[in-house]
Amino acid sequence: MSRIVVTGRIPEAGLDVLRRAGEVWAWDADEPIPDDVRDRQLATADAAVTLLTDRVDDAFLAAGPGLRVVANVAVGYNNIDVAACRERGVVVTNTPGVLTDATADLAMALTLMVTRRLGEGERLIRAGTPWQWGMFMMLGSGLQGRQLGVIGMGAIGEALADRARAFGMTIAYHNRRAVDAATEERLGARLVGLHELLETSDVVSLNCPYSDATHHLIDAAALDRMQETAFLVNTARGPIVDEAALATALRDGRIAGAALDVFEHEPDVHPDLLGLDNVVLVPHLGSATIETRSAMAELAARNVVEILAGREPLTPVSA
Ligand code: GLV
């Protein structure tokens, strides 16, 4: 019977599928699994189901010499050394598709939060600060007729663009390649260079994977290109943004605001961001709906089932 190790808590929907495929051992606590416990379990494992907080590197793979698959319960897989897995014949899978809507919803919500100053408003009331409706109180920026610049036009970028269109925004995007003509037409989207996107967008949204190529894509120079009235939204991965440079730009009013779901040194947040009113900070909630997390766990589990049965995985990573 195959042995499947799950390195953190996942929804029952995933565990149910896994239990039909083999003997399941799952770490069942909210804190991260200690390395020694993990390594003991991996020693006899055929499959590992991992979270984005796990680092799947040489040490992980060496601890699990019998591993045939690492199924990440996330669409992003920058936590996994895919080349090292491939060298050892370990298949890597992720969970694209099932979290597209939830993540696009969050990116839209963050866009509204930061442009309408909702976090600031919440803090004001919760602090017990006296207030009265006022014509000029806490004015934000509208989205109608404004340009959303999407960096990384994959499924989530497209779904965000669909939402932004419903709010009256126009769409520019930067991507390795153009999306198909029908999608461009539906979104009224135009492919532009990174500089043009930064210089002309009212909201810049990061929806690209994190890799060496996108490390600090948004650095001081990129922030300098943005308009003083523009906002940055990051629901992708923290290290795409140079957080220190962002804090400086926000403090100096170089850009109008930012909304971050992900952080460069997660779960730490750059201390200079914490005191700024023009930044919205939420704790990596992109896919955090009950339905989505169940669907992610189930998809990861089904990938394990396929591999252990000697079939092709449903969603292998492409890198
Ligand atoms: C979440 O960040 C994911 O990559 O699924």
Side-chain angles (χ1 to χ4, degrees):
M1 194 172 202
S2 300
R3 269 199 87 241
I4 303 160
V5 168
V6 185
T7 60
R9 294 187 61 211
I10 65 167
E12 274 302 314
L15 293 172
D16 280 348
V17 172
L18 292 173
R19 285 189 196 111
R20 280 183 248 134
E23 178 201 316
V24 179
W25 182 92
W27 175 248
D28 191 24
D30 281 327
E31 65 269 18
I33 185 171
D35 283 355
D36 59 326
V37 176
R38 181 199 73 182
D39 289 355
R40 250 194 327 276
Q41 293 301 328
L42 286 176
T44 52
D46 303 284
V49 175
T50 55
L51 306 181
L52 59 83
T53 44
D54 291 307
R55 185 132 298 286
V56 179
D57 51 13
D58 276 324
F60 184 108
L61 296 167
L67 283 175
R68 292 162 60 192
V69 55
V70 171
N72 212 32
V73 191
V75 66
Y77 49 88
N78 55 291
N79 59 311
I80 297 179
D81 184 340
V82 177
C85 289
R86 188 171 297 130
E87 262 170 40
R88 292 172 151 90
V90 178
V91 175
V92 180
T93 66
N94 65 343
T95 60
V98 292
L99 46 64
T100 300
D101 285 326
T103 309
D105 286 349
L106 187 85
M108 197 66 225
L110 288 178
T111 301
L112 289 163
M113 273 189 84
V114 69
T115 56
R116 296 299 298 274
R117 303 173 62 177
L118 302 183
E120 250 182 287
E122 259 258 320
R123 285 193 293 280
L124 174 122
I125 291 192
R126 287 182 188 277
T129 311
W131 65 280
Q132 275 196 36
W133 184 89
M135 185 63 86
F136 298 101
M137 186 192 176
M138 220 170 253
L139 301 186
S141 314
L143 297 178
Q144 295 71 26
R146 299 279 158 76
Q147 177 175 298
L148 170 70
V150 177
I151 299 182
M153 196 61 132
I156 296 170
E158 266 182 41
L160 171 62
D162 270 323
R163 284 154 178 75
R165 289 275 288 175
F167 282 83
M169 299 189 82
T170 60
I171 313 296
Y173 72 101
H174 177 67
N175 205 44
R176 275 173 298 193
R177 63 189 88 82
V179 298
D180 62 82
T183 304
E184 271 198 351
E185 198 177 314
R186 187 185 83 243
L187 299 173
R190 50 190 194 98
L191 177 65
V192 295
L194 181 61
H195 291 175
E196 183 180 344
L197 183 139
L198 293 169
E199 285 159 12
T200 60
S201 296
D202 300 293
V203 176
V204 172
S205 175
L206 303 179
N207 299 101
C208 53
Y210 174 62
S211 67
D212 288 346
T214 58
H215 179 79
H216 283 191
L217 185 71
I218 304 299
D219 57 7
L223 291 161
D224 266 347
R225 287 189 182 276
M226 289 175 63
Q227 307 179 68
E228 284 185 1
T229 50
F231 299 87
L232 178 72
V233 177
N234 189 6
T235 55
R237 283 291 182 269
I240 299 171
V241 176
D242 177 343
E243 226 167 74
L246 175 63
T248 304
L250 289 168
R251 188 200 60 206
D252 296 348
R254 280 287 312 110
I255 64 170
L260 308 176
D261 183 41
V262 287
F263 301 92
E264 190 170 356
H265 304 290
E266 221 166 285
D268 296 334
V269 176
H270 195 291
D272 292 354
L273 291 174
L274 297 173
L276 295 173
D277 256 335
N278 55 353
V279 62
V280 173
L281 307 166
V282 295
H284 205 148
L285 298 176
S287 64
T289 69
I290 295 165
E291 304 82 354
T292 301
R293 288 284 163 83
S294 284
M296 291 165 69
E298 205 177 320
L299 177 54
R302 287 172 58 215
N303 274 312
V304 169
V305 169
E306 293 305 299
I307 296 288
L308 294 181
R311 296 188 292 262
E312 288 300 308
L314 302 167
T315 51
V317 307
S318 52

